[in-house]
Amino acid sequence: GLAQAQLGAKDLRGAYWELEETLRLDPDNVDARLRHGEFLLFGKKEDLARAIESADAILAREPQRWEALLLKGRALQATSRIEEACTAFEAAAQSAPADQPAALLLLANCLRVNGKAVEAEAAFTKLTEVYPSVGSWTARAAFLAGASRDAEAEAAFRKSIEIAKPEERTAAWSAL
């Protein structure tokens, strides 16, 4: 509704307050709760706690709602609750539709940050198998480069260039 129009007009403050009002009037509005939670991710520590509460409220009704799992994972990660964030991202990756790579990418990065290199590599590999895109291959290459596996990283970067559409080639080359 109005919040979406304000987002389109880049009126973030107006959109935020519209979402607040929507949730005051209809606390069960899942789409508004998800959008509102996205705003809370950029707030203070107490806002992050509210984002987790919002995600939990959605998950109480819809336990496999992947967007709520992502919201919860991102908020947990922002509060340095990395293990819990990885669990949320893993559940999101299992629930997300086939055309949504974000959950798997966030899981792979969370595992990497948590020092679980073997599991992270498996997630990055799955990401490139399930979503063979420039972004997926670049993320895998960056992981490999960070592990000082330069030859494998270069091969992954080159794969991203190979599969790039013409409009993606500049970005793919700049990653290399």
Side-chain angles (χ1 to χ4, degrees):
L2 188 52
Q4 186 65 32
Q6 287 171 316
L7 282 172
K10 303 205 185 310
D11 177 9
L12 300 180
R13 183 172 296 174
Y16 175 81
W17 290 112
E18 237 359 272
L19 289 167
E20 285 270 325
E21 184 64 10
T22 299
L23 291 174
R24 186 184 69 74
L25 296 171
D26 182 9
D28 295 330
N29 185 323
V30 172
D31 291 330
R33 190 167 288 283
L34 286 168
R35 286 200 179 275
H36 184 257
E38 291 287 326
F39 273 102
L40 295 173
L41 291 174
F42 299 100
K44 299 175 186 167
K45 189 174 184 174
E46 54 271 11
D47 293 325
L48 294 169
R50 287 178 58 207
I52 294 168
E53 290 169 10
S54 260
D56 284 340
I58 295 167
L59 293 168
R61 289 186 184 89
E62 300 179 44
Q64 297 302 311
R65 184 71 183 247
W66 68 276
E67 302 99 320
L69 290 161
L70 281 187
L71 174 63
K72 183 174 183 173
R74 290 174 64 201
L76 288 165
Q77 194 169 35
T79 58
S80 300
R81 294 164 59 187
I82 305 301
E83 193 70 39
E84 293 172 83
C86 289
T87 300
F89 292 143
E90 186 171 4
Q94 293 171 359
S95 302
D99 64 343
Q100 297 295 325
L104 195 50
L105 177 60
L106 287 168
L107 171 61
N109 279 319
C110 190
L111 292 167
R112 178 187 55 77
V113 167
N114 205 18
K116 297 184 176 183
V118 172
E119 294 91 339
E121 182 172 3
F124 281 112
T125 299
K126 183 176 179 181
L127 179 68
T128 58
E129 292 168 354
V130 177
Y131 311 103
S133 68
V134 170
S136 296
W137 279 99
T138 301
R140 181 176 179 187
F143 167 77
L144 293 167
S148 298
R149 293 166 56 186
D150 297 338
E152 293 171 87
E154 181 179 348
F157 278 126
R158 291 195 181 282
K159 179 67 176 179
S160 74
I161 292 167
E162 175 188 314
I163 67 170
K165 298 173 186 161
E167 62 272 13
E168 297 172 319
R169 288 206 176 110
T170 301
W173 272 105
S174 65
L176 181 60

